[in-house]
Amino acid sequence: ETAAEHLERSVALARVSATRGGDVTIFNRTLLARLRLAQGRATEAEAILDEVLAPSRPHLIAQQAVEMALARAWRGKARERQGRVGEAESDLRAAVAALGLAGAPAARDLITALEMLAETLVASRKDTEGEATERRAVELARRELGAEERVLGKAHTRWARALRVLGRLAWAEGAE
């Protein structure tokens, strides 16, 4: 995504979150952490997300649960960039599990979290599991978003890259 597309999507998601009863504060803090992460300030991003994920919200509504899962996924990415891959993997697996429970309304977010998890797995030299996770993202995108969706194209590209890492060039060409 370009910076402008990302900003537009983020503003639109904030509006959707507010109309569905989501917590705009969670969303805004997560967005701020993502900005810090993009700026290379992973430690600061993690601290912001730690605040968001503090156990002070015992009864979350569905949209808040999705936002909390996204915050956990981004904290995982912040931890990965600090070299704490084990903690990152744990956060990302928890985020994927929570988003999976949210169902179809969280499909785009689940695809994003799956791709983040796959990157972390590859960084941990778990290439086979990383490829399987990328494939799962492609299958989910195809099923939930349709063949014309831009997210599906990005998922295919990432999956093809994972296949190349594993030396499955013929498969990679078919995935693109």
Side-chain angles (χ1 to χ4, degrees), residues 117-127 129-131 134 162 165:
L117 175 59
E119 288 174 359
T120 300
L121 291 168
V122 170
S124 301
R125 302 280 190 233
K126 298 177 182 177
D127 297 332
E129 190 177 358
E131 181 276 326
E134 290 287 10
V165 167

Side-chain angles (χ1 to χ4, degrees), residues 15-136:
R15 286 188 188 122
V16 168
S17 176
T19 61
R20 292 184 182 164
D23 189 329
V24 176
T25 302
I26 295 171
F27 181 85
N28 287 339
R29 299 294 291 165
T30 302
L31 187 59
L32 176 62
R34 290 175 66 184
L35 175 63
R36 295 293 181 256
L37 195 57
Q39 293 170 332
R41 296 159 62 182
T43 303
E44 192 175 336
E46 181 185 10
I48 293 167
L49 293 165
D50 282 342
E51 290 173 17
V52 169
L53 294 168
S56 61
R57 295 175 175 88
H59 303 290
L60 297 176
I61 61 172
Q63 185 62 30
Q64 288 173 322
V66 168
E67 291 165 3
M68 294 292 283
L70 284 172
R72 185 170 305 282
W74 284 104
R75 183 176 70 178
K77 203 63 180 166
R79 288 176 168 176
E80 177 190 326
R81 292 211 180 140
Q82 295 174 71
R84 295 162 44 206
V85 180
E87 291 174 83
E89 184 179 334
S90 177
D91 271 346
L92 288 162
R93 287 186 188 281
V96 165
L99 290 166
L101 293 175
R108 284 179 190 274
D109 299 320
L110 178 55
I111 292 164
T112 298
L114 283 167
E115 290 174 342
M116 292 165 73
L117 175 59
E119 288 174 359
T120 300
L121 291 168
V122 170
S124 301
R125 302 280 190 233
K126 298 177 182 177
D127 297 332
T128 303
E129 190 177 358
E131 181 276 326
T133 304
E134 290 287 10
R135 183 174 358 102
R136 183 175 164 202

Side-chain angles (χ1 to χ4, degrees), residues 129-149:
E129 190 177 358
E131 181 276 326
T133 304
E134 290 287 10
R135 183 174 358 102
R136 183 175 164 202
V138 168
E139 291 166 355
L140 180 65
R142 186 178 294 130
R143 184 178 65 245
E144 296 294 333
L145 305 177
E148 298 301 317
E149 180 61 41

